[in-house]
Amino acid sequence: MNGSIAANTTATQATVAESNRSRILQHLYHEGVSSRAQIAKALNLTPAAISKITAQLIEAGAIEETGDMEGEKNRRSIGLKLDTSRFHVVGVKFARSLVQIGLFDLCGETLGLEELPPVTNDTIASTVSAIHERIARLIKADSSIVAVGMAVPGPYMHAKGRTAVVSSMQGWRDINFIDEFSHAFSVPVFIEQDARAGALSHYLFDPDSHGEDNLAYYLVGEGVGLGVIDNGRLVNGALGAAAEIGHVSIDVNGRPCDCGNFGCLERYCSTPAIRSMLIEEGEAVPGAAGMSNTCATRRLFSLASHGEERAVELVRCIARYVGYGCVNVFNTFNPHRIIIGDIVSEAGEALLDEVRATVRSRSIAEIYDSTEITLSTMPTDAIVCGAAAVAVTQFLDRPSMFFDLS
Amino acid sequence: MNGSIAANTTATQATVAESNRSRILQHLYHEGVSSRAQIAKALNLTPAAISKITAQLIEAGAIEETGDMEGEKNRRSIGLKLDTSRFHVVGVKFARSLVQIGLFDLCGETLGLEELPPVTNDTIASTVSAIHERIARLIKADSSIVAVGMAVPGPYMHAKGRTAVVSSMQGWRDINFIDEFSHAFSVPVFIEQDARAGALSHYLFDPDSHGEDNLAYYLVGEGVGLGVIDNGRLVNGALGAAAEIGHVSIDVNGRPCDCGNFGCLERYCSTPAIRSMLIEEGEAVPGAAGMSNTCATRRLFSLASHGEERAVELVRCIARYVGYGCVNVFNTFNPHRIIIGDIVSEAGEALLDEVRATVRSRSIAEIYDSTEITLSTMPTDAIVCGAAAVAVTQFLDRPSMFFDLS
């Protein structure tokens, strides 16, 4: 009993030290160059604690001293800095038939981006090999790379490392992402559900969302997913399978889904659902059957943007389904801001207008009035950026994983 | 600028002091009698800080010293105690036509419970007066009462003090709970959405849920609501209107709802929906039209429990709708434990079996296998207890509100 109490106390002390290091890194990340006195004040730590921890972080190469900066009462003091361009992370987006690999700095600045050849169920194995090879090559060429982040389709079970359902690309279910990647490289690898990565990407990198503690990233692409930040924290659920809006039914007697449920939103407005609709409809996008899900969807949007009547109608119909999902997001998570991203968001303002109209007519007025619905405007895809954001979050949260701080 | 930084620093220091007081109270609440040394270890605070804060709390009457207890290495040390029976809270449940007022100690032990006469839209004003009078009388008679907690139907907008939609009892919408009650008594009043209060009640008072950081309380009664604790924290949303499962549509082309949406779950398995169904069906519960929602529902359950075939069928049908809601809870919040409570849960095991069967057939097997679905077994109604839990949570979180700690 005494032994276990002692062990717990040591663990707690280690946790507190790590937490203080992380708070200092986060402060420098968000606030920029700061003096020891400023950090001490902001974090309510004693000057002695700050001196000790910053010395450790400088010694380890995590932060550095800058020249003099102007301090309070015009006294000069030395600035401390986390050089966000000096550390790089790799972000990998897995989106059923698409894999993107990007190189980013800690602020989400894109330094490089590569798209692998389209994936089919038969080429998943060779795609996985190619990912290994590409990442290893990137790490070898760039010693600034500190971590790899991966964004995978949900429902992704965090502890198990597997995606539970991948509609239309069952082959991905056989990949255990943890076994496959977590010890594959010389730097740590962090894996997160894709839409949750998108939410982190807007939270960390999007100037429009800076400081927004209640936001949702609503991914409408090859799948339909959601990532929610509630009061500054990701909503995860017990297994990491929360916020699976794509498998929330919009019609309990509706279309059957691979997950076992009926009427899942994903069956109505994901790109595979859109392509099926186009094939069935037959006229709006001739030859849709011979196109990929993404190509058929983009062709529809292009025709609609040129005013083709039937295409415009279909985009409106898709937007209504996206809107039904938004109403569900309102009623389940009540965020301040919903950011719609991925392929279906490429339909632009025409889609957004209909989404908003649908939500307005089906939601409580005072909640509608205090919620912003926008399209993602990240310069690089929010999910591949989001994969990087997953890595950056861990870098700031767990400094002892990246630096020798003993 | 410097002024505001200084003000922020003072605020932060005050917050840290309050947070440490709160951590000590919470430790004593959850762990029972502890020595200063044990608290210091558990919370990683210095002995000096512990001495100072506990002296303050003893002086203010929040905690007390007990006799000697056995310390480490068999040294005797003085124990500290938060006497949970010495402080009382009042809990008030507002459930459309039902108002209950209970007196509880800090552990949720029920010391008294009173039900007001049934409320109709016309008697809301007199009910509110009666509540004022009853609470004032309780406080006058019992100087141990430190706070009042209230549980009101959602979607309850926290900052505004109003419930946005109250299907079937619109009159409640005109009550601003904050204006009406927050400064009405000599002790502070805290107001929370009802199902969230239910979740807190199971989190704090239910031995079966002790230490369960991912749980959902699923209220199925006059309304349908949900309270979710995700990783130890209530999911609130920006306005406090998150987790409104009763207004998540199960059929976007379904029955219209007062909230503006169509096919809201509440329209299929709340007691008003059940009574409507019984009236329409005509045979299972003769005279349902002349009964209250609750009476008609209880009559149905009673007939079903006696094996009346048609009643059994209808209970199964209701249970399937409750199950559809559960599937939504799985896919949006992925809790470890879902506790179904309120009037509809009185149908018991017959309902629970069908709910589980519905969820099993419509959810991902590995999520189903790791999620427990149970009925609430609190000895007193989980929402009136939950109202007390709301008050207890604040008492432990914000000691300076209750004691002179200057």
Side-chain angles (χ1 to χ4, degrees):
Chain A
M1 186 72 189
N2 274 338
S4 102
I5 288 174
N8 281 338
T9 308
T10 310
T12 309
Q13 280 164 344
T15 313
V16 170
E18 178 80 343
S19 150
N20 285 334
R21 285 191 290 255
S22 166
R23 290 170 70 211
I24 292 174
L25 280 189
Q26 305 220 22
H27 182 85
L28 293 173
Y29 181 79
H30 292 290
E31 307 298 328
V33 175
S34 311
S35 71
R36 288 177 177 79
Q38 287 172 330
I39 301 172
K41 271 195 172 180
L43 304 184
N44 203 48
L45 288 168
T46 61
I50 294 286
S51 290
K52 185 177 160 195
I53 302 170
T54 56
Q56 224 184 14
L57 290 170
I58 292 169
E59 167 77 21
I63 62 173
E64 59 207 55
E65 290 191 331
T66 64
D68 279 1
M69 58 184 289
E70 198 157 312
E72 253 178 67
K73 298 171 194 153
N74 295 321
R75 280 191 305 211
R76 313 295 296 177
S77 62
I78 295 164
L80 294 173
K81 181 182 175 184
L82 168 61
D83 186 348
T84 55
S85 64
R86 209 163 61 74
F87 301 101
H88 297 165
V89 296
V90 174
V92 185
K93 170 185 178 170
F94 294 83
R96 294 166 175 76
S97 61
L98 175 89
V99 173
Q100 280 183 316
I101 302 177
L103 182 65
F104 301 85
D105 73 9
L106 295 188
C107 284
E109 193 68 41
T110 311
L111 308 170
L113 191 63
E114 178 186 16
E115 192 166 319
L116 268 53
V119 191
T120 64
N121 259 322
D122 297 332
T123 61
I124 287 177
S126 62
T127 300
V128 168
S129 301
I131 294 167
H132 275 281
E133 184 263 319
R134 295 301 207 286
I135 296 176
R137 201 199 298 163
L138 280 171
I139 293 172
K140 199 172 168 196
D142 179 355
S143 63
S144 310
I145 294 174
V146 290
V148 176
M150 295 184 166
V152 304
Y156 174 72
M157 282 160 297
H158 234 280
K160 298 187 178 181
R162 290 199 313 99
T163 287
V165 187
V166 189
S167 307
S168 80
M169 282 287 270
Q170 293 287 337
W172 282 117
R173 285 197 61 187
D174 300 331
I175 304 296
N176 184 308
F177 289 90
I178 292 177
D179 294 348
E180 188 65 50
F181 294 111
S182 69
H183 298 293
F185 310 108
S186 56
V187 300
V189 177
F190 304 100
I191 307 161
E192 187 51 277
Q193 179 249 44
D194 50 10
R196 219 167 280 164
L200 280 180
S201 141
H202 282 275
Y203 188 62
L204 282 189
F205 303 149
D206 176 3
D208 290 345
S209 297
H210 197 75
E212 176 53 80
D213 274 350
N214 290 279
L215 71 84
Y217 179 80
Y218 180 18
L219 180 159
V220 195
E222 288 213 57
V224 174
L226 187 73
V228 178
I229 293 177
D230 182 66
N231 196 18
R233 270 192 7 175
L234 278 177
V235 177
N236 285 308
L239 299 177
E244 284 301 333
I245 197 85
H247 294 287
V248 169
S249 172
I250 57 165
D251 178 358
V252 293
N253 301 307
R255 303 175 188 168
C257 180
D258 296 344
C259 75
N261 205 356
F262 289 80
C264 291
L265 180 62
E266 189 160 297
R267 293 281 146 176
Y268 298 85
C269 59
S270 62
T271 58
I274 293 171
R275 179 167 162 272
S276 296
M277 182 186 73
L278 293 173
I279 293 170
E280 199 173 314
E281 196 266 352
E283 285 178 25
V285 176
M291 300 178 192
S292 71
N293 297 324
T294 306
C295 287
T297 301
R298 286 190 172 140
R299 181 81 189 120
L300 171 72
F301 292 169
S302 159
L303 291 167
S305 74
H306 289 92
E308 293 279 347
E309 208 173 316
R310 186 65 189 130
V312 169
E313 260 172 54
L314 290 177
V315 168
R316 265 201 214 115
C317 168
I318 293 161
R320 277 194 293 277
Y321 282 111
V322 175
Y324 300 149
C326 257
V327 176
N328 280 347
V329 177
F330 267 51
N331 288 321
T332 46
F333 295 106
N334 177 215
H336 254 141
R337 188 162 184 235
I338 299 177
I339 302 147
I340 307 175
D342 225 79
I343 299 160
V344 175
S345 74
E346 293 171 13
E349 293 300 318
L351 176 114
L352 185 60
D353 288 348
E354 188 72 20
V355 167
R356 285 179 176 155
T358 303
V359 178
R360 193 186 308 114
S361 73
R362 288 177 175 243
S363 62
I364 295 157
E366 40 203 319
I367 299 182
Y368 182 81
D369 291 341
S370 76
T371 312
E372 204 186 343
I373 305 174
T374 63
L375 300 176
S376 179
T377 54
M378 302 281 286
T380 302
D381 177 274
I383 302 305
V384 65
C385 262
V390 169
V392 173
T393 302
Q394 295 294 327
F395 180 81
L396 297 174
D397 271 6
R398 301 157 78 177
S400 67
M401 197 169 210
F402 298 89
F403 299 102
D404 181 7
L405 293 161
S406 53
Chain B
M1 186 68 189
N2 274 337
S4 100
I5 288 174
N8 280 338
T9 308
T10 311
T12 309
Q13 280 164 346
T15 312
V16 169
E18 179 80 343
S19 150
N20 284 334
R21 286 191 290 255
S22 165
R23 289 171 69 211
I24 291 174
L25 281 188
Q26 305 221 23
H27 182 85
L28 293 173
Y29 180 81
H30 291 289
E31 308 297 328
V33 176
S34 311
S35 69
R36 288 176 177 79
Q38 286 172 331
I39 301 173
K41 270 195 173 180
L43 305 183
N44 203 48
L45 288 168
T46 62
I50 294 286
S51 291
K52 187 177 159 194
I53 302 170
T54 56
Q56 227 185 11
L57 290 170
I58 291 169
E59 167 78 20
I63 62 173
E64 59 207 54
E65 289 190 332
T66 65
D68 280 0
M69 58 184 290
E70 197 157 314
E72 253 180 64
K73 297 171 193 151
N74 295 323
R75 281 190 304 213
R76 314 294 296 178
S77 62
I78 295 164
L80 294 173
K81 181 182 177 185
L82 168 61
D83 186 347
T84 55
S85 64
R86 209 162 61 71
F87 301 101
H88 296 167
V89 296
V90 173
V92 185
K93 170 184 179 170
F94 293 85
R96 295 168 174 75
S97 62
L98 175 88
V99 173
Q100 281 183 317
I101 302 178
L103 183 65
F104 300 86
D105 72 9
L106 294 188
C107 285
E109 193 68 39
T110 311
L111 309 170
L113 191 63
E114 180 187 15
E115 191 166 319
L116 268 52
V119 191
T120 65
N121 259 321
D122 297 333
T123 61
I124 286 176
S126 63
T127 300
V128 167
S129 302
I131 294 166
H132 275 279
E133 186 263 318
R134 294 301 208 289
I135 295 176
R137 203 200 297 163
L138 280 171
I139 293 172
K140 200 173 165 195
D142 179 357
S143 62
S144 309
I145 293 174
V146 291
V148 176
M150 295 184 165
V152 304
Y156 174 72
M157 281 160 298
H158 234 277
K160 298 187 180 181
R162 291 198 312 100
T163 287
V165 187
V166 190
S167 306
S168 80
M169 280 289 271
Q170 292 287 336
W172 283 117
R173 286 198 58 188
D174 299 331
I175 304 297
N176 185 307
F177 289 91
I178 291 176
D179 294 348
E180 188 64 49
F181 294 111
S182 69
H183 298 292
F185 311 107
S186 56
V187 300
V189 176
F190 305 99
I191 306 161
E192 188 50 277
Q193 179 250 45
D194 50 10
R196 220 166 280 164
L200 280 179
S201 140
H202 281 276
Y203 189 61
L204 281 189
F205 304 148
D206 176 2
D208 290 343
S209 298
H210 197 76
E212 177 52 81
D213 275 350
N214 289 281
L215 71 84
Y217 179 81
Y218 180 19
L219 181 158
V220 195
E222 289 214 54
V224 174
L226 186 74
V228 178
I229 293 177
D230 182 67
N231 196 18
R233 270 190 10 173
L234 278 177
V235 177
N236 285 308
L239 299 176
E244 284 302 333
I245 196 87
H247 294 287
V248 170
S249 173
I250 58 164
D251 177 0
V252 293
N253 300 307
R255 303 175 188 167
C257 178
D258 297 344
C259 75
N261 205 358
F262 289 80
C264 290
L265 180 62
E266 189 160 298
R267 293 280 147 175
Y268 299 85
C269 58
S270 62
T271 58
I274 292 170
R275 180 168 160 271
S276 297
M277 182 184 75
L278 294 173
I279 294 170
E280 199 173 312
E281 196 266 351
E283 287 179 21
V285 177
M291 299 178 192
S292 70
N293 297 323
T294 305
C295 288
T297 301
R298 285 189 171 140
R299 181 81 188 118
L300 172 71
F301 293 169
S302 159
L303 291 166
S305 74
H306 288 91
E308 292 279 343
E309 207 173 319
R310 186 65 190 131
V312 170
E313 260 172 54
L314 290 177
V315 169
R316 264 200 215 118
C317 168
I318 293 161
R320 278 194 292 276
Y321 282 110
V322 176
Y324 300 149
C326 258
V327 175
N328 281 346
V329 178
F330 267 51
N331 288 321
T332 47
F333 295 107
N334 176 216
H336 253 141
R337 186 162 185 235
I338 300 177
I339 302 148
I340 307 174
D342 225 80
I343 299 159
V344 175
S345 74
E346 293 170 14
E349 293 299 318
L351 177 114
L352 186 59
D353 289 346
E354 188 72 20
V355 168
R356 285 178 175 156
T358 303
V359 178
R360 192 186 310 115
S361 72
R362 287 176 176 244
S363 61
I364 296 158
E366 41 203 317
I367 299 182
Y368 181 82
D369 291 341
S370 77
T371 312
E372 203 186 345
I373 305 174
T374 62
L375 301 176
S376 178
T377 54
M378 302 282 286
T380 302
D381 177 273
I383 302 304
V384 66
C385 261
V390 169
V392 173
T393 302
Q394 294 294 326
F395 180 82
L396 298 174
D397 270 6
R398 300 157 78 179
S400 66
M401 195 168 214
F402 299 89
F403 300 102
D404 181 7
L405 293 161
S406 53

